[in-house]
mmCIF file with all atom_site columns, all heavy atoms in Angstrom:
data_model
loop_
_atom_site.group_PDB
_atom_site.id
_atom_site.type_symbol
_atom_site.label_atom_id
_atom_site.label_alt_id
_atom_site.label_comp_id
_atom_site.label_asym_id
_atom_site.label_entity_id
_atom_site.label_seq_id
_atom_site.pdbx_PDB_ins_code
_atom_site.Cartn_x
_atom_site.Cartn_y
_atom_site.Cartn_z
_atom_site.occupancy
_atom_site.B_iso_or_equiv
_atom_site.pdbx_formal_charge
_atom_site.auth_seq_id
_atom_site.auth_comp_id
_atom_site.auth_asym_id
_atom_site.auth_atom_id
_atom_site.pdbx_PDB_model_num
ATOM 1   N N   . GLY A 1 35 ? -28.925 14.999 -11.670 1.00 0.00 ? 35 GLY A N   1
ATOM 2   C CA  . GLY A 1 35 ? -29.391 16.381 -11.503 1.00 0.00 ? 35 GLY A CA  1
ATOM 3   C C   . GLY A 1 35 ? -28.457 17.220 -10.651 1.00 0.00 ? 35 GLY A C   1
ATOM 4   O O   . GLY A 1 35 ? -28.850 18.263 -10.115 1.00 0.00 ? 35 GLY A O   1
ATOM 5   N N   . ILE A 1 36 ? -27.212 16.774 -10.527 1.00 0.00 ? 36 ILE A N   1
ATOM 6   C CA  . ILE A 1 36 ? -26.227 17.500 -9.697  1.00 0.00 ? 36 ILE A CA  1
ATOM 7   C C   . ILE A 1 36 ? -24.937 17.668 -10.501 1.00 0.00 ? 36 ILE A C   1
ATOM 8   O O   . ILE A 1 36 ? -24.451 16.710 -11.115 1.00 0.00 ? 36 ILE A O   1
ATOM 9   C CB  . ILE A 1 36 ? -25.901 16.724 -8.402  1.00 0.00 ? 36 ILE A CB  1
ATOM 10  C CG1 . ILE A 1 36 ? -27.181 16.322 -7.656  1.00 0.00 ? 36 ILE A CG1 1
ATOM 11  C CG2 . ILE A 1 36 ? -24.987 17.543 -7.494  1.00 0.00 ? 36 ILE A CG2 1
ATOM 12  C CD1 . ILE A 1 36 ? -26.943 15.420 -6.448  1.00 0.00 ? 36 ILE A CD1 1
ATOM 13  N N   . LEU A 1 37 ? -24.413 18.882 -10.481 1.00 0.00 ? 37 LEU A N   1
ATOM 14  C CA  . LEU A 1 37 ? -23.092 19.109 -11.075 1.00 0.00 ? 37 LEU A CA  1
ATOM 15  C C   . LEU A 1 37 ? -22.050 19.039 -9.958  1.00 0.00 ? 37 LEU A C   1
ATOM 16  O O   . LEU A 1 37 ? -22.145 19.776 -8.969  1.00 0.00 ? 37 LEU A O   1
ATOM 17  C CB  . LEU A 1 37 ? -23.045 20.494 -11.733 1.00 0.00 ? 37 LEU A CB  1
ATOM 18  C CG  . LEU A 1 37 ? -21.653 20.910 -12.227 1.00 0.00 ? 37 LEU A CG  1
ATOM 19  C CD1 . LEU A 1 37 ? -21.204 20.075 -13.412 1.00 0.00 ? 37 LEU A CD1 1
ATOM 20  C CD2 . LEU A 1 37 ? -21.643 22.393 -12.585 1.00 0.00 ? 37 LEU A CD2 1
ATOM 21  N N   . PHE A 1 38 ? -21.104 18.156 -10.114 1.00 0.00 ? 38 PHE A N   1
ATOM 22  C CA  . PHE A 1 38 ? -20.003 18.033 -9.156  1.00 0.00 ? 38 PHE A CA  1
ATOM 23  C C   . PHE A 1 38 ? -18.782 18.682 -9.815  1.00 0.00 ? 38 PHE A C   1
ATOM 24  O O   . PHE A 1 38 ? -18.282 18.196 -10.834 1.00 0.00 ? 38 PHE A O   1
ATOM 25  C CB  . PHE A 1 38 ? -19.720 16.565 -8.844  1.00 0.00 ? 38 PHE A CB  1
ATOM 26  C CG  . PHE A 1 38 ? -20.847 15.886 -8.125  1.00 0.00 ? 38 PHE A CG  1
ATOM 27  C CD1 . PHE A 1 38 ? -21.901 15.320 -8.836  1.00 0.00 ? 38 PHE A CD1 1
ATOM 28  C CD2 . PHE A 1 38 ? -20.880 15.812 -6.742  1.00 0.00 ? 38 PHE A CD2 1
ATOM 29  C CE1 . PHE A 1 38 ? -22.950 14.684 -8.179  1.00 0.00 ? 38 PHE A CE1 1
ATOM 30  C CE2 . PHE A 1 38 ? -21.929 15.183 -6.077  1.00 0.00 ? 38 PHE A CE2 1
ATOM 31  C CZ  . PHE A 1 38 ? -22.965 14.621 -6.790  1.00 0.00 ? 38 PHE A CZ  1
ATOM 32  N N   . ASP A 1 39 ? -18.323 19.768 -9.232  1.00 0.00 ? 39 ASP A N   1
ATOM 33  C CA  . ASP A 1 39 ? -17.256 20.551 -9.853  1.00 0.00 ? 39 ASP A CA  1
ATOM 34  C C   . ASP A 1 39 ? -15.989 20.444 -8.991  1.00 0.00 ? 39 ASP A C   1
ATOM 35  O O   . ASP A 1 39 ? -15.904 21.051 -7.922  1.00 0.00 ? 39 ASP A O   1
ATOM 36  C CB  . ASP A 1 39 ? -17.725 22.008 -9.970  1.00 0.00 ? 39 ASP A CB  1
ATOM 37  C CG  . ASP A 1 39 ? -16.676 22.886 -10.629 1.00 0.00 ? 39 ASP A CG  1
ATOM 38  O OD1 . ASP A 1 39 ? -15.520 22.445 -10.769 1.00 0.00 ? 39 ASP A OD1 1
ATOM 39  O OD2 . ASP A 1 39 ? -17.012 24.027 -10.987 1.00 0.00 ? 39 ASP A OD2 1
ATOM 40  N N   . PHE A 1 40 ? -15.038 19.661 -9.500  1.00 0.00 ? 40 PHE A N   1
ATOM 41  C CA  . PHE A 1 40 ? -13.772 19.473 -8.771  1.00 0.00 ? 40 PHE A CA  1
ATOM 42  C C   . PHE A 1 40 ? -12.649 20.336 -9.361  1.00 0.00 ? 40 PHE A C   1
ATOM 43  O O   . PHE A 1 40 ? -11.484 20.109 -9.073  1.00 0.00 ? 40 PHE A O   1
ATOM 44  C CB  . PHE A 1 40 ? -13.347 17.999 -8.832  1.00 0.00 ? 40 PHE A CB  1
ATOM 45  C CG  . PHE A 1 40 ? -14.362 17.047 -8.258  1.00 0.00 ? 40 PHE A CG  1
ATOM 46  C CD1 . PHE A 1 40 ? -15.161 16.272 -9.098  1.00 0.00 ? 40 PHE A CD1 1
ATOM 47  C CD2 . PHE A 1 40 ? -14.542 16.927 -6.893  1.00 0.00 ? 40 PHE A CD2 1
ATOM 48  C CE1 . PHE A 1 40 ? -16.106 15.392 -8.580  1.00 0.00 ? 40 PHE A CE1 1
ATOM 49  C CE2 . PHE A 1 40 ? -15.488 16.045 -6.363  1.00 0.00 ? 40 PHE A CE2 1
ATOM 50  C CZ  . PHE A 1 40 ? -16.274 15.283 -7.216  1.00 0.00 ? 40 PHE A CZ  1
ATOM 51  N N   . THR A 1 41 ? -13.023 21.291 -10.234 1.00 0.00 ? 41 THR A N   1
ATOM 52  C CA  . THR A 1 41 ? -11.963 22.029 -10.949 1.00 0.00 ? 41 THR A CA  1
ATOM 53  C C   . THR A 1 41 ? -11.120 22.903 -10.022 1.00 0.00 ? 41 THR A C   1
ATOM 54  O O   . THR A 1 41 ? -9.988  23.231 -10.354 1.00 0.00 ? 41 THR A O   1
ATOM 55  C CB  . THR A 1 41 ? -12.563 22.912 -12.071 1.00 0.00 ? 41 THR A CB  1
ATOM 56  O OG1 . THR A 1 41 ? -13.499 23.828 -11.480 1.00 0.00 ? 41 THR A OG1 1
ATOM 57  C CG2 . THR A 1 41 ? -13.267 22.077 -13.124 1.00 0.00 ? 41 THR A CG2 1
ATOM 58  N N   . LYS A 1 42 ? -11.662 23.281 -8.878  1.00 0.00 ? 42 LYS A N   1
ATOM 59  C CA  . LYS A 1 42 ? -10.881 24.132 -7.966  1.00 0.00 ? 42 LYS A CA  1
ATOM 60  C C   . LYS A 1 42 ? -10.202 23.295 -6.875  1.00 0.00 ? 42 LYS A C   1
ATOM 61  O O   . LYS A 1 42 ? -9.879  23.796 -5.802  1.00 0.00 ? 42 LYS A O   1
ATOM 62  C CB  . LYS A 1 42 ? -11.770 25.210 -7.326  1.00 0.00 ? 42 LYS A CB  1
ATOM 63  C CG  . LYS A 1 42 ? -12.306 26.231 -8.336  1.00 0.00 ? 42 LYS A CG  1
ATOM 64  C CD  . LYS A 1 42 ? -12.963 27.410 -7.634  1.00 0.00 ? 42 LYS A CD  1
ATOM 65  C CE  . LYS A 1 42 ? -13.575 28.384 -8.610  1.00 0.00 ? 42 LYS A CE  1
ATOM 66  N NZ  . LYS A 1 42 ? -14.866 27.925 -9.164  1.00 0.00 ? 42 LYS A NZ  1
ATOM 67  N N   . THR A 1 43 ? -10.011 22.010 -7.151  1.00 0.00 ? 43 THR A N   1
ATOM 68  C CA  . THR A 1 43 ? -9.168  21.197 -6.268  1.00 0.00 ? 43 THR A CA  1
ATOM 69  C C   . THR A 1 43 ? -7.817  20.989 -6.965  1.00 0.00 ? 43 THR A C   1
ATOM 70  O O   . THR A 1 43 ? -7.676  21.284 -8.154  1.00 0.00 ? 43 THR A O   1
ATOM 71  C CB  . THR A 1 43 ? -9.779  19.803 -6.003  1.00 0.00 ? 43 THR A CB  1
ATOM 72  O OG1 . THR A 1 43 ? -9.709  19.036 -7.216  1.00 0.00 ? 43 THR A OG1 1
ATOM 73  C CG2 . THR A 1 43 ? -11.218 19.909 -5.543  1.00 0.00 ? 43 THR A CG2 1
ATOM 74  N N   . HIS A 1 44 ? -6.871  20.449 -6.240  1.00 0.00 ? 44 HIS A N   1
ATOM 75  C CA  . HIS A 1 44 ? -5.550  20.226 -6.839  1.00 0.00 ? 44 HIS A CA  1
ATOM 76  C C   . HIS A 1 44 ? -5.488  18.924 -7.635  1.00 0.00 ? 44 HIS A C   1
ATOM 77  O O   . HIS A 1 44 ? -4.403  18.549 -8.096  1.00 0.00 ? 44 HIS A O   1
ATOM 78  C CB  . HIS A 1 44 ? -4.466  20.245 -5.748  1.00 0.00 ? 44 HIS A CB  1
ATOM 79  C CG  . HIS A 1 44 ? -4.227  21.611 -5.178  1.00 0.00 ? 44 HIS A CG  1
ATOM 80  N ND1 . HIS A 1 44 ? -4.976  22.114 -4.130  1.00 0.00 ? 44 HIS A ND1 1
ATOM 81  C CD2 . HIS A 1 44 ? -3.361  22.600 -5.533  1.00 0.00 ? 44 HIS A CD2 1
ATOM 82  C CE1 . HIS A 1 44 ? -4.555  23.344 -3.850  1.00 0.00 ? 44 HIS A CE1 1
ATOM 83  N NE2 . HIS A 1 44 ? -3.589  23.667 -4.686  1.00 0.00 ? 44 HIS A NE2 1
ATOM 84  N N   . LEU A 1 45 ? -6.618  18.246 -7.792  1.00 0.00 ? 45 LEU A N   1
ATOM 85  C CA  . LEU A 1 45 ? -6.593  17.018 -8.596  1.00 0.00 ? 45 LEU A CA  1
ATOM 86  C C   . LEU A 1 45 ? -6.179  17.370 -10.025 1.00 0.00 ? 45 LEU A C   1
ATOM 87  O O   . LEU A 1 45 ? -6.684  18.320 -10.612 1.00 0.00 ? 45 LEU A O   1
ATOM 88  C CB  . LEU A 1 45 ? -7.983  16.372 -8.639  1.00 0.00 ? 45 LEU A CB  1
ATOM 89  C CG  . LEU A 1 45 ? -8.488  15.694 -7.363  1.00 0.00 ? 45 LEU A CG  1
ATOM 90  C CD1 . LEU A 1 45 ? -9.858  15.078 -7.615  1.00 0.00 ? 45 LEU A CD1 1
ATOM 91  C CD2 . LEU A 1 45 ? -7.513  14.634 -6.847  1.00 0.00 ? 45 LEU A CD2 1
ATOM 92  N N   . ASP A 1 46 ? -5.247  16.603 -10.552 1.00 0.00 ? 46 ASP A N   1
ATOM 93  C CA  . ASP A 1 46 ? -4.898  16.729 -11.972 1.00 0.00 ? 46 ASP A CA  1
ATOM 94  C C   . ASP A 1 46 ? -4.707  15.315 -12.504 1.00 0.00 ? 46 ASP A C   1
ATOM 95  O O   . ASP A 1 46 ? -4.915  14.329 -11.777 1.00 0.00 ? 46 ASP A O   1
ATOM 96  C CB  . ASP A 1 46 ? -3.649  17.599 -12.175 1.00 0.00 ? 46 ASP A CB  1
ATOM 97  C CG  . ASP A 1 46 ? -2.412  17.018 -11.523 1.00 0.00 ? 46 ASP A CG  1
ATOM 98  O OD1 . ASP A 1 46 ? -2.493  15.916 -10.922 1.00 0.00 ? 46 ASP A OD1 1
ATOM 99  O OD2 . ASP A 1 46 ? -1.346  17.646 -11.602 1.00 0.00 ? 46 ASP A OD2 1
ATOM 100 N N   . GLY A 1 47 ? -4.310  15.208 -13.772 1.00 0.00 ? 47 GLY A N   1
ATOM 101 C CA  . GLY A 1 47 ? -4.194  13.883 -14.385 1.00 0.00 ? 47 GLY A CA  1
ATOM 102 C C   . GLY A 1 47 ? -3.281  12.963 -13.585 1.00 0.00 ? 47 GLY A C   1
ATOM 103 O O   . GLY A 1 47 ? -3.604  11.796 -13.339 1.00 0.00 ? 47 GLY A O   1
ATOM 104 N N   . ALA A 1 48 ? -2.131  13.498 -13.147 1.00 0.00 ? 48 ALA A N   1
ATOM 105 C CA  . ALA A 1 48 ? -1.155  12.660 -12.446 1.00 0.00 ? 48 ALA A CA  1
ATOM 106 C C   . ALA A 1 48 ? -1.725  12.172 -11.116 1.00 0.00 ? 48 ALA A C   1
ATOM 107 O O   . ALA A 1 48 ? -1.578  10.995 -10.746 1.00 0.00 ? 48 ALA A O   1
ATOM 108 C CB  . ALA A 1 48 ? 0.129   13.443 -12.213 1.00 0.00 ? 48 ALA A CB  1
ATOM 109 N N   . LEU A 1 49 ? -2.402  13.068 -10.399 1.00 0.00 ? 49 LEU A N   1
ATOM 110 C CA  . LEU A 1 49 ? -2.957  12.659 -9.100  1.00 0.00 ? 49 LEU A CA  1
ATOM 111 C C   . LEU A 1 49 ? -4.094  11.654 -9.273  1.00 0.00 ? 49 LEU A C   1
ATOM 112 O O   . LEU A 1 49 ? -4.162  10.659 -8.546  1.00 0.00 ? 49 LEU A O   1
ATOM 113 C CB  . LEU A 1 49 ? -3.459  13.877 -8.321  1.00 0.00 ? 49 LEU A CB  1
ATOM 114 C CG  . LEU A 1 49 ? -2.403  14.644 -7.540  1.00 0.00 ? 49 LEU A CG  1
ATOM 115 C CD1 . LEU A 1 49 ? -3.006  15.883 -6.899  1.00 0.00 ? 49 LEU A CD1 1
ATOM 116 C CD2 . LEU A 1 49 ? -1.767  13.749 -6.463  1.00 0.00 ? 49 LEU A CD2 1
ATOM 117 N N   . VAL A 1 50 ? -4.965  11.914 -10.249 1.00 0.00 ? 50 VAL A N   1
ATOM 118 C CA  . VAL A 1 50 ? -6.068  10.966 -10.460 1.00 0.00 ? 50 VAL A CA  1
ATOM 119 C C   . VAL A 1 50 ? -5.489  9.596  -10.840 1.00 0.00 ? 50 VAL A C   1
ATOM 120 O O   . VAL A 1 50 ? -5.906  8.565  -10.293 1.00 0.00 ? 50 VAL A O   1
ATOM 121 C CB  . VAL A 1 50 ? -7.066  11.494 -11.523 1.00 0.00 ? 50 VAL A CB  1
ATOM 122 C CG1 . VAL A 1 50 ? -8.081  10.415 -11.891 1.00 0.00 ? 50 VAL A CG1 1
ATOM 123 C CG2 . VAL A 1 50 ? -7.790  12.738 -11.000 1.00 0.00 ? 50 VAL A CG2 1
ATOM 124 N N   . ASP A 1 51 ? -4.492  9.589  -11.717 1.00 0.00 ? 51 ASP A N   1
ATOM 125 C CA  . ASP A 1 51 ? -3.860  8.300  -12.077 1.00 0.00 ? 51 ASP A CA  1
ATOM 126 C C   . ASP A 1 51 ? -3.290  7.621  -10.840 1.00 0.00 ? 51 ASP A C   1
ATOM 127 O O   . ASP A 1 51 ? -3.450  6.419  -10.640 1.00 0.00 ? 51 ASP A O   1
ATOM 128 C CB  . ASP A 1 51 ? -2.697  8.519  -13.059 1.00 0.00 ? 51 ASP A CB  1
ATOM 129 C CG  . ASP A 1 51 ? -3.210  8.772  -14.455 1.00 0.00 ? 51 ASP A CG  1
ATOM 130 O OD1 . ASP A 1 51 ? -4.430  8.610  -14.673 1.00 0.00 ? 51 ASP A OD1 1
ATOM 131 O OD2 . ASP A 1 51 ? -2.383  9.157  -15.313 1.00 0.00 ? 51 ASP A OD2 1
ATOM 132 N N   . GLY A 1 52 ? -2.620  8.413  -10.008 1.00 0.00 ? 52 GLY A N   1
ATOM 133 C CA  . GLY A 1 52 ? -2.023  7.846  -8.794  1.00 0.00 ? 52 GLY A CA  1
ATOM 134 C C   . GLY A 1 52 ? -3.082  7.238  -7.887  1.00 0.00 ? 52 GLY A C   1
ATOM 135 O O   . GLY A 1 52 ? -2.905  6.134  -7.350  1.00 0.00 ? 52 GLY A O   1
ATOM 136 N N   . PHE A 1 53 ? -4.194  7.935  -7.739  1.00 0.00 ? 53 PHE A N   1
ATOM 137 C CA  . PHE A 1 53 ? -5.261  7.403  -6.884  1.00 0.00 ? 53 PHE A CA  1
ATOM 138 C C   . PHE A 1 53 ? -5.938  6.182  -7.523  1.00 0.00 ? 53 PHE A C   1
ATOM 139 O O   . PHE A 1 53 ? -6.352  5.262  -6.808  1.00 0.00 ? 53 PHE A O   1
ATOM 140 C CB  . PHE A 1 53 ? -6.293  8.491  -6.557  1.00 0.00 ? 53 PHE A CB  1
ATOM 141 C CG  . PHE A 1 53 ? -5.904  9.339  -5.378  1.00 0.00 ? 53 PHE A CG  1
ATOM 142 C CD1 . PHE A 1 53 ? -5.547  10.671 -5.536  1.00 0.00 ? 53 PHE A CD1 1
ATOM 143 C CD2 . PHE A 1 53 ? -5.878  8.800  -4.095  1.00 0.00 ? 53 PHE A CD2 1
ATOM 144 C CE1 . PHE A 1 53 ? -5.175  11.441 -4.447  1.00 0.00 ? 53 PHE A CE1 1
ATOM 145 C CE2 . PHE A 1 53 ? -5.509  9.572  -2.993  1.00 0.00 ? 53 PHE A CE2 1
ATOM 146 C CZ  . PHE A 1 53 ? -5.155  10.899 -3.179  1.00 0.00 ? 53 PHE A CZ  1
ATOM 147 N N   . VAL A 1 54 ? -6.032  6.187  -8.847  1.00 0.00 ? 54 VAL A N   1
ATOM 148 C CA  . VAL A 1 54 ? -6.620  4.998  -9.501  1.00 0.00 ? 54 VAL A CA  1
ATOM 149 C C   . VAL A 1 54 ? -5.733  3.774  -9.212  1.00 0.00 ? 54 VAL A C   1
ATOM 150 O O   . VAL A 1 54 ? -6.220  2.684  -8.909  1.00 0.00 ? 54 VAL A O   1
ATOM 151 C CB  . VAL A 1 54 ? -6.789  5.236  -11.023 1.00 0.00 ? 54 VAL A CB  1
ATOM 152 C CG1 . VAL A 1 54 ? -7.160  3.939  -11.738 1.00 0.00 ? 54 VAL A CG1 1
ATOM 153 C CG2 . VAL A 1 54 ? -7.858  6.301  -11.270 1.00 0.00 ? 54 VAL A CG2 1
ATOM 154 N N   . ARG A 1 55 ? -4.407  3.984  -9.252  1.00 0.00 ? 55 ARG A N   1
ATOM 155 C CA  . ARG A 1 55 ? -3.486  2.868  -8.927  1.00 0.00 ? 55 ARG A CA  1
ATOM 156 C C   . ARG A 1 55 ? -3.683  2.433  -7.465  1.00 0.00 ? 55 ARG A C   1
ATOM 157 O O   . ARG A 1 55 ? -3.727  1.252  -7.151  1.00 0.00 ? 55 ARG A O   1
ATOM 158 C CB  . ARG A 1 55 ? -2.015  3.284  -9.101  1.00 0.00 ? 55 ARG A CB  1
ATOM 159 C CG  . ARG A 1 55 ? -1.567  3.701  -10.463 1.00 0.00 ? 55 ARG A CG  1
ATOM 160 C CD  . ARG A 1 55 ? -1.308  2.517  -11.376 1.00 0.00 ? 55 ARG A CD  1
ATOM 161 N NE  . ARG A 1 55 ? -2.428  2.344  -12.291 1.00 0.00 ? 55 ARG A NE  1
ATOM 162 C CZ  . ARG A 1 55 ? -2.677  3.130  -13.355 1.00 0.00 ? 55 ARG A CZ  1
ATOM 163 N NH1 . ARG A 1 55 ? -1.866  4.130  -13.653 1.00 0.00 ? 55 ARG A NH1 1
ATOM 164 N NH2 . ARG A 1 55 ? -3.725  2.940  -14.128 1.00 0.00 ? 55 ARG A NH2 1
ATOM 165 N N   . LEU A 1 56 ? -3.814  3.419  -6.582  1.00 0.00 ? 56 LEU A N   1
ATOM 166 C CA  . LEU A 1 56 ? -4.034  3.087  -5.162  1.00 0.00 ? 56 LEU A CA  1
ATOM 167 C C   . LEU A 1 56 ? -5.338  2.298  -4.996  1.00 0.00 ? 56 LEU A C   1
ATOM 168 O O   . LEU A 1 56 ? -5.398  1.315  -4.251  1.00 0.00 ? 56 LEU A O   1
ATOM 169 C CB  . LEU A 1 56 ? -4.079  4.375  -4.326  1.00 0.00 ? 56 LEU A CB  1
ATOM 170 C CG  . LEU A 1 56 ? -4.415  4.194  -2.839  1.00 0.00 ? 56 LEU A CG  1
ATOM 171 C CD1 . LEU A 1 56 ? -3.312  3.441  -2.091  1.00 0.00 ? 56 LEU A CD1 1
ATOM 172 C CD2 . LEU A 1 56 ? -4.656  5.553  -2.164  1.00 0.00 ? 56 LEU A CD2 1
ATOM 173 N N   . ALA A 1 57 ? -6.368  2.735  -5.726  1.00 0.00 ? 57 ALA A N   1
ATOM 174 C CA  . ALA A 1 57 ? -7.662  2.039  -5.636  1.00 0.00 ? 57 ALA A CA  1
ATOM 175 C C   . ALA A 1 57 ? -7.517  0.599  -6.118  1.00 0.00 ? 57 ALA A C   1
ATOM 176 O O   . ALA A 1 57 ? -8.122  -0.320 -5.551  1.00 0.00 ? 57 ALA A O   1
ATOM 177 C CB  . ALA A 1 57 ? -8.710  2.790  -6.464  1.00 0.00 ? 57 ALA A CB  1
#
Side-chain angles (χ1 to χ4, degrees):
I36 309 174
L37 172 69
F38 294 86
D39 181 347
F40 301 104
T41 59
K42 294 190 184 77
T43 70
H44 289 86
L45 288 182
D46 62 1
L49 277 176
V50 171
D51 283 351
F53 275 111
V54 170
R55 299 281 102 75
L56 175 67

